């Protein structure tokens, strides 16, 4: 639905999901999950850190286990201050 960058943070809004994963170029990842099985997740916020490498990408898992993948977003193109 929406992805935006503000104050060195990345915000993502999605359709109903059970998990949102941010993966970095350096193979580090951050995961936001619904608190309980069957609950719905529609957004997440992730900090940008210096050790993430050149790019980030997202994987959203819906309530049926199907995954959707974003393209890579290059950190240098995000208009963010790198740490």
């Amino acid at each position: 639905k929406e992805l935006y960058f503000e104050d060195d943070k990345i915000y993502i809004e999605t359709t109903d999901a059970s998990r949102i994963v941010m993966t970095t170029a350096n193979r580090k990842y951050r995961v936001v999950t619904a608190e309980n099985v069957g609950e719905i997740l529609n957004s997440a916020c992730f900090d940008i850190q210096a050790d993430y490498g050149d790019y980030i990408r997202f994987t959203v898992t819906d309530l049926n286990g199907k995954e959707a993948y974003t393209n890579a977003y290059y950190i240098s193109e995000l208009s963010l201050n790198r740490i």
Side-chain angles (χ1 to χ4, degrees), residues 1 12-21 31-36 38-46 59-63:
K1 283 185 155 186
I12 184 169
E13 295 180 11
T14 68
T15 57
D16 293 350
S18 61
R19 182 171 73 165
I20 301 171
V21 179
V31 179
V32 175
T33 60
E35 289 189 27
N36 297 302
E39 287 187 346
I40 296 172
L41 181 66
N42 291 110
S43 65
C45 174
F46 300 92
T59 305
V60 178
T61 306
D62 73 11
L63 301 175

Side-chain angles (χ1 to χ4, degrees), residues 19-32 46 49 51-52 56-57 59:
R19 182 171 73 165
I20 301 171
V21 179
M22 180 181 72
T23 307
T24 72
N26 292 336
R27 300 188 187 260
K28 295 182 182 220
Y29 63 92
R30 300 291 180 259
V31 179
V32 175
F46 300 92
Q49 296 180 8
D51 61 349
Y52 283 175
I56 55 173
R57 65 179 63 220
T59 305

